[in-house]
Amino acid sequence: MEFGGAFRHVDIRFGVMDYGPFDLGMEGAPTRIRLGIVGSADTVEGTARWIERSVAGFPAKTSRQPNLFPAFSGVNFETTFRCEFVTSDELQRVIPQRELARLAAIPGQREVTRAIVEVLSNEIAALSERTVKPHVVLVALPVEIIERTYNARDVAGGEDDDDVEAGPDLDFRGLLKAACMRLRLPIQLLWPTTFDPSYKIPRKLKETSERRTQDPATIAWNLLTATYYKAGGLPWRLARDARQLRTSYVGLSFYRSADGEHVHTSTAQMFDERGEGLILRGGRMVESEEDRKPHLTAQDAYDLLRNSLKVFRDQHGHWPARVVLHKTSKFDRNELDGFHKAIDERDIDYADFIWIQKSMTRLYRMGIYPPLRGTLLRFDKDQALLYTRGSVDFFRTYPGMYVPRPLMLRCQALGQPLQHIAEEVLALTKMNWNNTQFDNGLPITIAAARHVGEVLKYVPEGQEIAPRYSFYM
C-alpha cells in the first residue's frame, strides 16, 4: 500500500507510523478532526478521556510477534495521522439516566429498537445543527442500550445466498445509520469496553457476540483509522504502477427489504485506487432461469453500471480505462449483456468480470502453519484458488484463530492475466478502513456489501442516499 510521500509498506500501521497517511500535505486532508460524542454521562466522559489519552499513545501488547501488535505512537502533527482529534462540551450530548431507564423498559424488540434509534438520531441531529459541527459523531453506547439492541437482528433466520442480505427483524446499527444519513454526518458506534476493558458486559451478550476485548493500542489503531477516513481523509491507497490502466472496481450485491417480503434490490459498491468508496442503488432482482438465484435484468445491469461509470467520471474528470466487476454469484447471460452494453457505450476496451466465493477446498503445507497469504493455485486460464488469509512472513506466524478458507476466483470475462486479477483481489482485501487488520478475507468490493445492505434496506426508495462508503461502515 502507498502512504504519505508515495512511500510504501506491507502493513497499515507501520506505513502510517513511518510515513503518515496517503493524503498528507494534500489539499483537503484533515488537520483538526472535531469529534462529537453521544451517550450516557459515563460513556461520554469515558470516551472524551480516551481521546485525550490517545494523544500520548498506547504501548505495544506483550507478544513474541512484535510486528503483530505494534504500539500506537500517539496522534499529533508529528506522529501517525499528522493531525488532531479533538472534542469539547459543545460537541457532546448526554442522554439523561431517566431517559435511558425509560427506553430500557419499553416492551417488544422492534418497539424498543425504533425508540432508541429515534432518541440517538435526535441527539446527533442537534449536533449537526451547531454552528461548529463535528466531522464525525462517536455514539458511545451505554450498557442499557447494548442489552436491548445488540440482539435485535434475526439470529435464527437461517443462511442465505452469499450475496443477499437476510433477516426481516430490525437491525439496530443499520436502522441508526439510515436515520442519520439525511444529516450527512458520519457516525461511529463504540462500546464502553473501548475506553475501559474492565466494563462489565452481561454474560449472555458476550456469548452471542463472541466479542473479545482488543489491547488498547489495537483499539486506537482501528478506531482512529476509521474516524480519519470518515472525516474525509485517505489513510492509504493501493500501490500502483504508473503504466497500469486507471481502473474502477465495482462490487455487486443484493439485499432484502426491511420487512423481508419484497424482492431484492441491487447495489453497486464502487472503489478506485485511492480508496474512494461510492455507493449506488440499482433495480430489483429477478430469479434467473439458469440457477434460480437473484440476478439483474439486462436493462437494470446496464443502468447500474452506466450510473457507476458516470459517478467515476464526475469524480475524476474522465472515464476509467478498465472496469472490474466482483460478484459472489455467477453472472448470468442477461447481466453480461447489460454490463457489456454499458462498457461498449463508453468505448472501454478492458473489463474483467470475477465471480468470487469462499471455497471448501483447502491446501496444506509442511509444518504447523497454513499456506502463505497470497498462495495461488491455478486450475486453468480463468479459474484459481487464492489464499487471502494465511501465514504471513512479516508476522512470522499465522495471525488468525481458525483454519483459513481460500477464495475461488472464476473469471467470466478476462481482460487481464489471472495472475494480475489475483494480485488485485489480494490488494483490495487491505482497503477496509474499519480496521487495520493486515489480511481481511474478502476484497472491499465484496466486504462492503453487507454494511451497505444493512443500511439501505431502511432507506425509503424515494430518499436520496449518501454516496460515500463512510456513511455505511
PDB file of all heavy atoms in Angstrom, residues 163 251-256 263-269 279-286 294-297 300-301 303-305 327 335 339 452-453 456 461 465:
ATOM      1  N   ASP A 163     -24.567 -13.429  -1.502  1.00  0.00           N
ATOM      2  CA  ASP A 163     -24.652 -12.032  -1.922  1.00  0.00           C
ATOM      3  C   ASP A 163     -26.009 -11.415  -1.627  1.00  0.00           C
ATOM      4  O   ASP A 163     -26.382 -10.422  -2.209  1.00  0.00           O
ATOM      5  CB  ASP A 163     -24.351 -11.917  -3.425  1.00  0.00           C
ATOM      6  CG  ASP A 163     -25.310 -12.743  -4.266  1.00  0.00           C
ATOM      7  OD1 ASP A 163     -25.995 -13.602  -3.693  1.00  0.00           O
ATOM      8  OD2 ASP A 163     -25.352 -12.525  -5.490  1.00  0.00           O
ATOM      9  N   GLY A 251     -18.277  -3.737  -6.908  1.00  0.00           N
ATOM     10  CA  GLY A 251     -18.848  -4.932  -6.309  1.00  0.00           C
ATOM     11  C   GLY A 251     -20.358  -4.893  -6.419  1.00  0.00           C
ATOM     12  O   GLY A 251     -20.984  -3.853  -6.176  1.00  0.00           O
ATOM     13  N   LEU A 252     -20.968  -5.999  -6.797  1.00  0.00           N
ATOM     14  CA  LEU A 252     -22.424  -6.071  -6.977  1.00  0.00           C
ATOM     15  C   LEU A 252     -23.030  -6.965  -5.907  1.00  0.00           C
ATOM     16  O   LEU A 252     -22.484  -8.035  -5.600  1.00  0.00           O
ATOM     17  CB  LEU A 252     -22.763  -6.620  -8.359  1.00  0.00           C
ATOM     18  CG  LEU A 252     -22.145  -5.858  -9.538  1.00  0.00           C
ATOM     19  CD1 LEU A 252     -22.348  -6.625 -10.824  1.00  0.00           C
ATOM     20  CD2 LEU A 252     -22.763  -4.477  -9.640  1.00  0.00           C
ATOM     21  N   SER A 253     -24.144  -6.547  -5.342  1.00  0.00           N
ATOM     22  CA  SER A 253     -24.798  -7.348  -4.304  1.00  0.00           C
ATOM     23  C   SER A 253     -26.289  -7.065  -4.285  1.00  0.00           C
ATOM     24  O   SER A 253     -26.776  -6.152  -4.965  1.00  0.00           O
ATOM     25  CB  SER A 253     -24.176  -7.053  -2.933  1.00  0.00           C
ATOM     26  OG  SER A 253     -24.361  -5.691  -2.593  1.00  0.00           O
ATOM     27  N   PHE A 254     -27.000  -7.848  -3.489  1.00  0.00           N
ATOM     28  CA  PHE A 254     -28.449  -7.697  -3.335  1.00  0.00           C
ATOM     29  C   PHE A 254     -28.806  -7.694  -1.858  1.00  0.00           C
ATOM     30  O   PHE A 254     -28.087  -8.248  -1.034  1.00  0.00           O
ATOM     31  CB  PHE A 254     -29.197  -8.850  -4.023  1.00  0.00           C
ATOM     32  CG  PHE A 254     -28.922  -8.972  -5.492  1.00  0.00           C
ATOM     33  CD1 PHE A 254     -27.906  -9.784  -5.960  1.00  0.00           C
ATOM     34  CD2 PHE A 254     -29.685  -8.283  -6.415  1.00  0.00           C
ATOM     35  CE1 PHE A 254     -27.639  -9.908  -7.305  1.00  0.00           C
ATOM     36  CE2 PHE A 254     -29.428  -8.388  -7.775  1.00  0.00           C
ATOM     37  CZ  PHE A 254     -28.410  -9.205  -8.222  1.00  0.00           C
ATOM     38  N   TYR A 255     -29.930  -7.054  -1.524  1.00  0.00           N
ATOM     39  CA  TYR A 255     -30.415  -7.097  -0.147  1.00  0.00           C
ATOM     40  C   TYR A 255     -31.937  -7.139  -0.149  1.00  0.00           C
ATOM     41  O   TYR A 255     -32.586  -6.706  -1.114  1.00  0.00           O
ATOM     42  CB  TYR A 255     -29.908  -5.895   0.659  1.00  0.00           C
ATOM     43  CG  TYR A 255     -30.426  -4.549   0.179  1.00  0.00           C
ATOM     44  CD1 TYR A 255     -31.578  -3.980   0.709  1.00  0.00           C
ATOM     45  CD2 TYR A 255     -29.755  -3.837  -0.810  1.00  0.00           C
ATOM     46  CE1 TYR A 255     -32.048  -2.758   0.270  1.00  0.00           C
ATOM     47  CE2 TYR A 255     -30.198  -2.612  -1.244  1.00  0.00           C
ATOM     48  CZ  TYR A 255     -31.351  -2.071  -0.701  1.00  0.00           C
ATOM     49  OH  TYR A 255     -31.814  -0.862  -1.141  1.00  0.00           O
ATOM     50  N   ARG A 256     -32.514  -7.658   0.939  1.00  0.00           N
ATOM     51  CA  ARG A 256     -33.969  -7.703   1.072  1.00  0.00           C
ATOM     52  C   ARG A 256     -34.489  -6.425   1.696  1.00  0.00           C
ATOM     53  O   ARG A 256     -33.778  -5.715   2.399  1.00  0.00           O
ATOM     54  CB  ARG A 256     -34.370  -8.891   1.955  1.00  0.00           C
ATOM     55  CG  ARG A 256     -34.320 -10.227   1.253  1.00  0.00           C
ATOM     56  CD  ARG A 256     -35.153 -11.252   2.026  1.00  0.00           C
ATOM     57  NE  ARG A 256     -35.146 -12.525   1.335  1.00  0.00           N
ATOM     58  CZ  ARG A 256     -34.344 -13.537   1.626  1.00  0.00           C
ATOM     59  NH1 ARG A 256     -33.474 -13.415   2.603  1.00  0.00           N
ATOM     60  NH2 ARG A 256     -34.400 -14.663   0.957  1.00  0.00           N
ATOM     61  N   VAL A 263     -39.069  -8.036  -3.054  1.00  0.00           N
ATOM     62  CA  VAL A 263     -37.966  -8.595  -3.823  1.00  0.00           C
ATOM     63  C   VAL A 263     -36.670  -7.871  -3.484  1.00  0.00           C
ATOM     64  O   VAL A 263     -36.670  -6.777  -2.924  1.00  0.00           O
ATOM     65  CB  VAL A 263     -38.253  -8.481  -5.337  1.00  0.00           C
ATOM     66  CG1 VAL A 263     -39.421  -9.348  -5.724  1.00  0.00           C
ATOM     67  CG2 VAL A 263     -38.513  -7.036  -5.742  1.00  0.00           C
ATOM     68  N   HIS A 264     -35.557  -8.480  -3.827  1.00  0.00           N
ATOM     69  CA  HIS A 264     -34.257  -7.920  -3.520  1.00  0.00           C
ATOM     70  C   HIS A 264     -33.955  -6.692  -4.383  1.00  0.00           C
ATOM     71  O   HIS A 264     -34.475  -6.545  -5.479  1.00  0.00           O
ATOM     72  CB  HIS A 264     -33.164  -8.965  -3.752  1.00  0.00           C
ATOM     73  CG  HIS A 264     -33.430 -10.268  -3.085  1.00  0.00           C
ATOM     74  ND1 HIS A 264     -34.054 -11.324  -3.711  1.00  0.00           N
ATOM     75  CD2 HIS A 264     -33.172 -10.695  -1.844  1.00  0.00           C
ATOM     76  CE1 HIS A 264     -34.159 -12.339  -2.881  1.00  0.00           C
ATOM     77  NE2 HIS A 264     -33.631 -11.982  -1.747  1.00  0.00           N
ATOM     78  N   THR A 265     -33.114  -5.837  -3.852  1.00  0.00           N
ATOM     79  CA  THR A 265     -32.664  -4.670  -4.574  1.00  0.00           C
ATOM     80  C   THR A 265     -31.151  -4.763  -4.738  1.00  0.00           C
ATOM     81  O   THR A 265     -30.450  -5.238  -3.851  1.00  0.00           O
ATOM     82  CB  THR A 265     -33.038  -3.381  -3.809  1.00  0.00           C
ATOM     83  OG1 THR A 265     -34.453  -3.332  -3.665  1.00  0.00           O
ATOM     84  CG2 THR A 265     -32.570  -2.144  -4.552  1.00  0.00           C
ATOM     85  N   SER A 266     -30.653  -4.295  -5.856  1.00  0.00           N
ATOM     86  CA  SER A 266     -29.231  -4.388  -6.128  1.00  0.00           C
ATOM     87  C   SER A 266     -28.511  -3.122  -5.689  1.00  0.00           C
ATOM     88  O   SER A 266     -29.099  -2.040  -5.630  1.00  0.00           O
ATOM     89  CB  SER A 266     -28.994  -4.606  -7.622  1.00  0.00           C
ATOM     90  OG  SER A 266     -29.493  -3.507  -8.364  1.00  0.00           O
ATOM     91  N   THR A 267     -27.238  -3.267  -5.350  1.00  0.00           N
ATOM     92  CA  THR A 267     -26.382  -2.125  -5.065  1.00  0.00           C
ATOM     93  C   THR A 267     -25.042  -2.335  -5.751  1.00  0.00           C
ATOM     94  O   THR A 267     -24.658  -3.456  -6.073  1.00  0.00           O
ATOM     95  CB  THR A 267     -26.122  -1.950  -3.553  1.00  0.00           C
ATOM     96  OG1 THR A 267     -25.428  -3.099  -3.060  1.00  0.00           O
ATOM     97  CG2 THR A 267     -27.407  -1.770  -2.789  1.00  0.00           C
ATOM     98  N   ALA A 268     -24.362  -1.238  -5.962  1.00  0.00           N
ATOM     99  CA  ALA A 268     -23.009  -1.289  -6.503  1.00  0.00           C
ATOM    100  C   ALA A 268     -22.085  -0.552  -5.534  1.00  0.00           C
ATOM    101  O   ALA A 268     -22.362   0.588  -5.153  1.00  0.00           O
ATOM    102  CB  ALA A 268     -22.949  -0.642  -7.884  1.00  0.00           C
ATOM    103  N   GLN A 269     -21.029  -1.234  -5.095  1.00  0.00           N
ATOM    104  CA  GLN A 269     -20.001  -0.626  -4.253  1.00  0.00           C
ATOM    105  C   GLN A 269     -18.801  -0.338  -5.150  1.00  0.00           C
ATOM    106  O   GLN A 269     -18.107  -1.258  -5.562  1.00  0.00           O
ATOM    107  CB  GLN A 269     -19.589  -1.562  -3.118  1.00  0.00           C
ATOM    108  CG  GLN A 269     -20.702  -1.856  -2.122  1.00  0.00           C
ATOM    109  CD  GLN A 269     -21.679  -2.910  -2.618  1.00  0.00           C
ATOM    110  OE1 GLN A 269     -22.885  -2.701  -2.619  1.00  0.00           O
ATOM    111  NE2 GLN A 269     -21.191  -4.054  -3.055  1.00  0.00           N
ATOM    112  N   ILE A 279     -21.351   4.553  -3.304  1.00  0.00           N
ATOM    113  CA  ILE A 279     -22.437   3.574  -3.278  1.00  0.00           C
ATOM    114  C   ILE A 279     -23.566   4.016  -4.204  1.00  0.00           C
ATOM    115  O   ILE A 279     -23.958   5.186  -4.202  1.00  0.00           O
ATOM    116  CB  ILE A 279     -22.981   3.406  -1.847  1.00  0.00           C
ATOM    117  CG1 ILE A 279     -21.832   3.129  -0.871  1.00  0.00           C
ATOM    118  CG2 ILE A 279     -24.023   2.302  -1.800  1.00  0.00           C
ATOM    119  CD1 ILE A 279     -21.006   1.917  -1.178  1.00  0.00           C
ATOM    120  N   LEU A 280     -24.093   3.071  -4.983  1.00  0.00           N
ATOM    121  CA  LEU A 280     -25.241   3.340  -5.847  1.00  0.00           C
ATOM    122  C   LEU A 280     -26.286   2.258  -5.619  1.00  0.00           C
ATOM    123  O   LEU A 280     -25.962   1.093  -5.367  1.00  0.00           O
ATOM    124  CB  LEU A 280     -24.850   3.341  -7.321  1.00  0.00           C
ATOM    125  CG  LEU A 280     -23.850   4.413  -7.771  1.00  0.00           C
ATOM    126  CD1 LEU A 280     -22.445   3.834  -7.760  1.00  0.00           C
ATOM    127  CD2 LEU A 280     -24.198   4.907  -9.154  1.00  0.00           C
ATOM    128  N   ARG A 281     -27.554   2.658  -5.728  1.00  0.00           N
ATOM    129  CA  ARG A 281     -28.638   1.694  -5.591  1.00  0.00           C
ATOM    130  C   ARG A 281     -29.222   1.416  -6.965  1.00  0.00           C
ATOM    131  O   ARG A 281     -29.476   2.335  -7.742  1.00  0.00           O
ATOM    132  CB  ARG A 281     -29.716   2.228  -4.651  1.00  0.00           C
ATOM    133  CG  ARG A 281     -30.854   1.248  -4.440  1.00  0.00           C
ATOM    134  CD  ARG A 281     -31.591   1.476  -3.130  1.00  0.00           C
ATOM    135  NE  ARG A 281     -32.116   2.832  -2.981  1.00  0.00           N
ATOM    136  CZ  ARG A 281     -32.781   3.231  -1.902  1.00  0.00           C
ATOM    137  NH1 ARG A 281     -32.974   2.394  -0.890  1.00  0.00           N
ATOM    138  NH2 ARG A 281     -33.235   4.456  -1.814  1.00  0.00           N
ATOM    139  N   GLY A 282     -29.424   0.139  -7.269  1.00  0.00           N
ATOM    140  CA  GLY A 282     -29.900  -0.256  -8.581  1.00  0.00           C
ATOM    141  C   GLY A 282     -31.327  -0.751  -8.567  1.00  0.00           C
ATOM    142  O   GLY A 282     -32.131  -0.416  -7.690  1.00  0.00           O
ATOM    143  N   GLY A 283     -31.648  -1.596  -9.551  1.00  0.00           N
ATOM    144  CA  GLY A 283     -33.012  -2.065  -9.728  1.00  0.00           C
ATOM    145  C   GLY A 283     -33.314  -3.330  -8.940  1.00  0.00           C
ATOM    146  O   GLY A 283     -32.490  -3.861  -8.203  1.00  0.00           O
ATOM    147  N   ARG A 284     -34.538  -3.820  -9.109  1.00  0.00           N
ATOM    148  CA  ARG A 284     -34.977  -5.034  -8.429  1.00  0.00           C
ATOM    149  C   ARG A 284     -34.361  -6.266  -9.072  1.00  0.00           C
ATOM    150  O   ARG A 284     -34.045  -6.273 -10.263  1.00  0.00           O
ATOM    151  CB  ARG A 284     -36.499  -5.155  -8.504  1.00  0.00           C
ATOM    152  CG  ARG A 284     -37.247  -3.989  -7.901  1.00  0.00           C
ATOM    153  CD  ARG A 284     -37.204  -4.025  -6.391  1.00  0.00           C
ATOM    154  NE  ARG A 284     -38.113  -3.068  -5.807  1.00  0.00           N
ATOM    155  CZ  ARG A 284     -38.302  -2.911  -4.512  1.00  0.00           C
ATOM    156  NH1 ARG A 284     -37.634  -3.666  -3.662  1.00  0.00           N
ATOM    157  NH2 ARG A 284     -39.141  -2.009  -4.053  1.00  0.00           N
ATOM    158  N   MET A 285     -34.217  -7.300  -8.273  1.00  0.00           N
ATOM    159  CA  MET A 285     -33.687  -8.542  -8.806  1.00  0.00           C
ATOM    160  C   MET A 285     -34.801  -9.348  -9.468  1.00  0.00           C
ATOM    161  O   MET A 285     -35.983  -9.110  -9.252  1.00  0.00           O
ATOM    162  CB  MET A 285     -33.033  -9.374  -7.700  1.00  0.00           C
ATOM    163  CG  MET A 285     -33.950  -9.806  -6.550  1.00  0.00           C
ATOM    164  SD  MET A 285     -35.138 -11.137  -6.893  1.00  0.00           S
ATOM    165  CE  MET A 285     -34.009 -12.496  -7.096  1.00  0.00           C
ATOM    166  N   VAL A 286     -34.383 -10.292 -10.269  1.00  0.00           N
ATOM    167  CA  VAL A 286     -35.288 -11.305 -10.809  1.00  0.00           C
ATOM    168  C   VAL A 286     -34.621 -12.653 -10.578  1.00  0.00           C
ATOM    169  O   VAL A 286     -33.400 -12.750 -10.435  1.00  0.00           O
ATOM    170  CB  VAL A 286     -35.559 -11.106 -12.311  1.00  0.00           C
ATOM    171  CG1 VAL A 286     -36.319  -9.820 -12.562  1.00  0.00           C
ATOM    172  CG2 VAL A 286     -34.256 -11.114 -13.106  1.00  0.00           C
ATOM    173  N   PRO A 294     -30.880 -14.798  -7.335  1.00  0.00           N
ATOM    174  CA  PRO A 294     -31.159 -13.410  -7.719  1.00  0.00           C
ATOM    175  C   PRO A 294     -30.159 -12.873  -8.733  1.00  0.00           C
ATOM    176  O   PRO A 294     -28.946 -13.061  -8.589  1.00  0.00           O
ATOM    177  CB  PRO A 294     -31.060 -12.652  -6.391  1.00  0.00           C
ATOM    178  CG  PRO A 294     -30.207 -13.510  -5.520  1.00  0.00           C
ATOM    179  CD  PRO A 294     -30.526 -14.913  -5.910  1.00  0.00           C
ATOM    180  N   HIS A 295     -30.689 -12.214  -9.757  1.00  0.00           N
ATOM    181  CA  HIS A 295     -29.855 -11.602 -10.790  1.00  0.00           C
ATOM    182  C   HIS A 295     -30.536 -10.324 -11.262  1.00  0.00           C
ATOM    183  O   HIS A 295     -31.705 -10.069 -10.952  1.00  0.00           O
ATOM    184  CB  HIS A 295     -29.662 -12.547 -11.979  1.00  0.00           C
ATOM    185  CG  HIS A 295     -28.802 -13.732 -11.682  1.00  0.00           C
ATOM    186  ND1 HIS A 295     -27.430 -13.692 -11.725  1.00  0.00           N
ATOM    187  CD2 HIS A 295     -29.131 -15.001 -11.325  1.00  0.00           C
ATOM    188  CE1 HIS A 295     -26.942 -14.882 -11.417  1.00  0.00           C
ATOM    189  NE2 HIS A 295     -27.955 -15.687 -11.161  1.00  0.00           N
ATOM    190  N   LEU A 296     -29.811  -9.530 -12.027  1.00  0.00           N
ATOM    191  CA  LEU A 296     -30.361  -8.327 -12.628  1.00  0.00           C
ATOM    192  C   LEU A 296     -30.887  -8.629 -14.022  1.00  0.00           C
ATOM    193  O   LEU A 296     -30.376  -9.514 -14.712  1.00  0.00           O
ATOM    194  CB  LEU A 296     -29.273  -7.253 -12.734  1.00  0.00           C
ATOM    195  CG  LEU A 296     -28.751  -6.640 -11.438  1.00  0.00           C
ATOM    196  CD1 LEU A 296     -27.503  -5.809 -11.721  1.00  0.00           C
ATOM    197  CD2 LEU A 296     -29.812  -5.788 -10.781  1.00  0.00           C
ATOM    198  N   THR A 297     -31.884  -7.859 -14.429  1.00  0.00           N
ATOM    199  CA  THR A 297     -32.273  -7.906 -15.831  1.00  0.00           C
ATOM    200  C   THR A 297     -31.179  -7.227 -16.649  1.00  0.00           C
ATOM    201  O   THR A 297     -30.333  -6.499 -16.111  1.00  0.00           O
ATOM    202  CB  THR A 297     -33.599  -7.179 -16.061  1.00  0.00           C
ATOM    203  OG1 THR A 297     -33.417  -5.776 -15.765  1.00  0.00           O
ATOM    204  CG2 THR A 297     -34.705  -7.750 -15.179  1.00  0.00           C
ATOM    205  N   ASP A 300     -31.469  -3.437 -16.123  1.00  0.00           N
ATOM    206  CA  ASP A 300     -31.005  -2.962 -14.823  1.00  0.00           C
ATOM    207  C   ASP A 300     -29.490  -3.096 -14.695  1.00  0.00           C
ATOM    208  O   ASP A 300     -28.838  -2.256 -14.060  1.00  0.00           O
ATOM    209  CB  ASP A 300     -31.703  -3.737 -13.704  1.00  0.00           C
ATOM    210  CG  ASP A 300     -33.123  -3.262 -13.465  1.00  0.00           C
ATOM    211  OD1 ASP A 300     -33.446  -2.143 -13.908  1.00  0.00           O
ATOM    212  OD2 ASP A 300     -33.911  -3.998 -12.842  1.00  0.00           O
ATOM    213  N   ALA A 301     -28.920  -4.143 -15.278  1.00  0.00           N
ATOM    214  CA  ALA A 301     -27.466  -4.287 -15.266  1.00  0.00           C
ATOM    215  C   ALA A 301     -26.820  -3.131 -16.039  1.00  0.00           C
ATOM    216  O   ALA A 301     -25.827  -2.543 -15.592  1.00  0.00           O
ATOM    217  CB  ALA A 301     -27.065  -5.629 -15.877  1.00  0.00           C
ATOM    218  N   ASP A 303     -28.165  -0.124 -16.601  1.00  0.00           N
ATOM    219  CA  ASP A 303     -28.372   1.133 -15.876  1.00  0.00           C
ATOM    220  C   ASP A 303     -27.417   1.254 -14.688  1.00  0.00           C
ATOM    221  O   ASP A 303     -26.841   2.328 -14.451  1.00  0.00           O
ATOM    222  CB  ASP A 303     -29.822   1.217 -15.379  1.00  0.00           C
ATOM    223  CG  ASP A 303     -30.823   1.421 -16.508  1.00  0.00           C
ATOM    224  OD1 ASP A 303     -30.407   1.889 -17.585  1.00  0.00           O
ATOM    225  OD2 ASP A 303     -32.012   1.106 -16.311  1.00  0.00           O
ATOM    226  N   LEU A 304     -27.230   0.160 -13.952  1.00  0.00           N
ATOM    227  CA  LEU A 304     -26.397   0.215 -12.753  1.00  0.00           C
ATOM    228  C   LEU A 304     -24.934   0.498 -13.111  1.00  0.00           C
ATOM    229  O   LEU A 304     -24.286   1.357 -12.494  1.00  0.00           O
ATOM    230  CB  LEU A 304     -26.505  -1.100 -11.982  1.00  0.00           C
ATOM    231  CG  LEU A 304     -25.841  -1.143 -10.598  1.00  0.00           C
ATOM    232  CD1 LEU A 304     -26.403  -0.061  -9.691  1.00  0.00           C
ATOM    233  CD2 LEU A 304     -26.021  -2.510  -9.955  1.00  0.00           C
ATOM    234  N   LEU A 305     -24.417  -0.175 -14.103  1.00  0.00           N
ATOM    235  CA  LEU A 305     -23.023   0.056 -14.476  1.00  0.00           C
ATOM    236  C   LEU A 305     -22.857   1.404 -15.181  1.00  0.00           C
ATOM    237  O   LEU A 305     -21.851   2.101 -14.971  1.00  0.00           O
ATOM    238  CB  LEU A 305     -22.519  -1.081 -15.368  1.00  0.00           C
ATOM    239  CG  LEU A 305     -21.023  -1.020 -15.710  1.00  0.00           C
ATOM    240  CD1 LEU A 305     -20.172  -0.904 -14.448  1.00  0.00           C
ATOM    241  CD2 LEU A 305     -20.604  -2.231 -16.525  1.00  0.00           C
ATOM    242  N   LYS A 327     -18.562 -10.190  -7.937  1.00  0.00           N
ATOM    243  CA  LYS A 327     -19.877 -10.675  -7.536  1.00  0.00           C
ATOM    244  C   LYS A 327     -19.683 -12.012  -6.831  1.00  0.00           C
ATOM    245  O   LYS A 327     -18.739 -12.745  -7.135  1.00  0.00           O
ATOM    246  CB  LYS A 327     -20.759 -10.826  -8.780  1.00  0.00           C
ATOM    247  CG  LYS A 327     -22.249 -10.944  -8.553  1.00  0.00           C
ATOM    248  CD  LYS A 327     -22.972 -10.714  -9.889  1.00  0.00           C
ATOM    249  CE  LYS A 327     -24.465 -10.928  -9.775  1.00  0.00           C
ATOM    250  NZ  LYS A 327     -24.817 -12.363  -9.882  1.00  0.00           N
ATOM    251  N   GLU A 335     -27.207 -10.343 -17.317  1.00  0.00           N
ATOM    252  CA  GLU A 335     -26.285  -9.407 -16.685  1.00  0.00           C
ATOM    253  C   GLU A 335     -25.085  -9.130 -17.588  1.00  0.00           C
ATOM    254  O   GLU A 335     -24.660  -7.977 -17.742  1.00  0.00           O
ATOM    255  CB  GLU A 335     -25.812  -9.982 -15.341  1.00  0.00           C
ATOM    256  CG  GLU A 335     -26.912 -10.013 -14.281  1.00  0.00           C
ATOM    257  CD  GLU A 335     -26.485 -10.753 -13.024  1.00  0.00           C
ATOM    258  OE1 GLU A 335     -25.702 -11.722 -13.138  1.00  0.00           O
ATOM    259  OE2 GLU A 335     -26.962 -10.378 -11.939  1.00  0.00           O
ATOM    260  N   PHE A 339     -24.066  -5.406 -18.855  1.00  0.00           N
ATOM    261  CA  PHE A 339     -22.778  -4.825 -18.487  1.00  0.00           C
ATOM    262  C   PHE A 339     -21.933  -4.528 -19.726  1.00  0.00           C
ATOM    263  O   PHE A 339     -21.293  -3.476 -19.818  1.00  0.00           O
ATOM    264  CB  PHE A 339     -22.025  -5.762 -17.542  1.00  0.00           C
ATOM    265  CG  PHE A 339     -22.677  -5.915 -16.185  1.00  0.00           C
ATOM    266  CD1 PHE A 339     -22.676  -7.139 -15.525  1.00  0.00           C
ATOM    267  CD2 PHE A 339     -23.289  -4.840 -15.570  1.00  0.00           C
ATOM    268  CE1 PHE A 339     -23.266  -7.284 -14.288  1.00  0.00           C
ATOM    269  CE2 PHE A 339     -23.899  -4.967 -14.328  1.00  0.00           C
ATOM    270  CZ  PHE A 339     -23.882  -6.198 -13.687  1.00  0.00           C
ATOM    271  N   VAL A 452     -23.498  -2.119   3.478  1.00  0.00           N
ATOM    272  CA  VAL A 452     -24.370  -1.297   2.636  1.00  0.00           C
ATOM    273  C   VAL A 452     -25.806  -1.808   2.682  1.00  0.00           C
ATOM    274  O   VAL A 452     -26.759  -1.033   2.857  1.00  0.00           O
ATOM    275  CB  VAL A 452     -23.844  -1.276   1.187  1.00  0.00           C
ATOM    276  CG1 VAL A 452     -24.853  -0.612   0.260  1.00  0.00           C
ATOM    277  CG2 VAL A 452     -22.507  -0.538   1.125  1.00  0.00           C
ATOM    278  N   GLY A 453     -25.989  -3.111   2.535  1.00  0.00           N
ATOM    279  CA  GLY A 453     -27.327  -3.674   2.548  1.00  0.00           C
ATOM    280  C   GLY A 453     -28.039  -3.479   3.871  1.00  0.00           C
ATOM    281  O   GLY A 453     -29.241  -3.215   3.919  1.00  0.00           O
ATOM    282  N   LEU A 456     -29.139   0.329   3.682  1.00  0.00           N
ATOM    283  CA  LEU A 456     -30.047   0.756   2.612  1.00  0.00           C
ATOM    284  C   LEU A 456     -31.436   0.152   2.730  1.00  0.00           C
ATOM    285  O   LEU A 456     -32.400   0.746   2.256  1.00  0.00           O
ATOM    286  CB  LEU A 456     -29.451   0.396   1.250  1.00  0.00           C
ATOM    287  CG  LEU A 456     -28.369   1.334   0.706  1.00  0.00           C
ATOM    288  CD1 LEU A 456     -27.983   0.932  -0.704  1.00  0.00           C
ATOM    289  CD2 LEU A 456     -28.831   2.784   0.741  1.00  0.00           C
ATOM    290  N   GLU A 461     -37.146   4.152  -0.860  1.00  0.00           N
ATOM    291  CA  GLU A 461     -36.643   4.212  -2.229  1.00  0.00           C
ATOM    292  C   GLU A 461     -36.623   5.624  -2.796  1.00  0.00           C
ATOM    293  O   GLU A 461     -35.787   5.962  -3.616  1.00  0.00           O
ATOM    294  CB  GLU A 461     -37.468   3.286  -3.132  1.00  0.00           C
ATOM    295  CG  GLU A 461     -37.152   1.823  -2.904  1.00  0.00           C
ATOM    296  CD  GLU A 461     -37.522   0.972  -4.097  1.00  0.00           C
ATOM    297  OE1 GLU A 461     -37.501   1.503  -5.225  1.00  0.00           O
ATOM    298  OE2 GLU A 461     -37.833  -0.198  -3.907  1.00  0.00           O
ATOM    299  N   ILE A 465     -29.734   8.719  -1.266  1.00  0.00           N
ATOM    300  CA  ILE A 465     -28.805   8.022  -0.385  1.00  0.00           C
ATOM    301  C   ILE A 465     -27.460   8.736  -0.359  1.00  0.00           C
ATOM    302  O   ILE A 465     -27.098   9.433  -1.307  1.00  0.00           O
ATOM    303  CB  ILE A 465     -28.613   6.549  -0.809  1.00  0.00           C
ATOM    304  CG1 ILE A 465     -27.880   6.457  -2.159  1.00  0.00           C
ATOM    305  CG2 ILE A 465     -29.939   5.826  -0.867  1.00  0.00           C
ATOM    306  CD1 ILE A 465     -27.463   5.050  -2.524  1.00  0.00           C
TER     307      ILE A 465
END
